[in-house]
Amino acid sequence: MNTNLITVLALLTIILSSCSGTRIATMRKSKMEQLELGMSKVQVVTILGPSYSISQKEANDKDTIEVISYRNVPFDDEFYLFRFKNNKLEKWHREFQPIYKEVKP
């Protein structure tokens, strides 16, 4: 009887842990679907949360440009970049950080 209980608990653990990445990605998808071009930075941060990094900031005679980025946790190699022109969301895209593997001779 204990062996059956251990087997069931092990299977349940595997199933639940394999779903966690999908749940996080689905939550991110639901947040991304709320975004619209022309939103302010405050509106975007309200939807996606305050854990962003400033990737670029520049100003010239006419425009102020700011690019912020979010990592798609738990996928450390995936992140989203959001470009604001004069505090309005102009575009965004997803990028993947290259993964370099050491080649041993």
Side-chain angles (χ1 to χ4, degrees):
M1 186 112 154
N2 285 339
T3 306
N4 288 341
L5 180 60
I6 292 171
T7 303
V8 169
L9 289 175
L11 287 172
L12 186 59
T13 302
I14 292 168
I15 291 169
L16 290 176
S17 65
S18 67
C19 295
S20 64
T22 304
R23 180 173 168 82
I24 290 171
T26 301
M27 288 170 46
R28 178 66 68 184
K29 179 182 177 201
S30 67
K31 290 179 180 182
M32 295 297 291
E33 289 174 345
Q34 295 177 45
L35 300 179
E36 295 181 17
L37 295 177
M39 286 182 152
S40 70
K41 179 181 170 187
V42 170
Q43 290 172 306
V44 172
V45 171
T46 299
I47 293 169
L48 298 178
S51 61
Y52 64 87
S53 298
I54 297 174
S55 300
Q56 178 184 354
K57 221 175 205 186
E58 66 180 83
N60 59 36
D61 294 339
K62 294 190 264 181
D63 300 311
T64 300
I65 305 295
E66 184 174 16
V67 178
I68 64 172
S69 64
Y70 284 88
R71 288 204 177 271
N72 191 13
V73 176
F75 309 109
D76 288 336
D77 63 336
E78 180 182 1
F79 57 97
Y80 291 82
L81 294 167
F82 299 87
R83 178 184 164 101
F84 296 89
K85 183 175 180 180
N86 300 323
N87 199 38
K88 299 291 179 192
L89 182 60
E90 183 179 57
K91 67 179 180 175
W92 75 84
H93 66 278
R94 179 175 64 168
E95 287 190 7
F96 293 93
Q97 181 176 349
I99 298 174
Y100 300 101
K101 295 182 181 180
E102 182 179 339
V103 178
K104 295 183 181 182

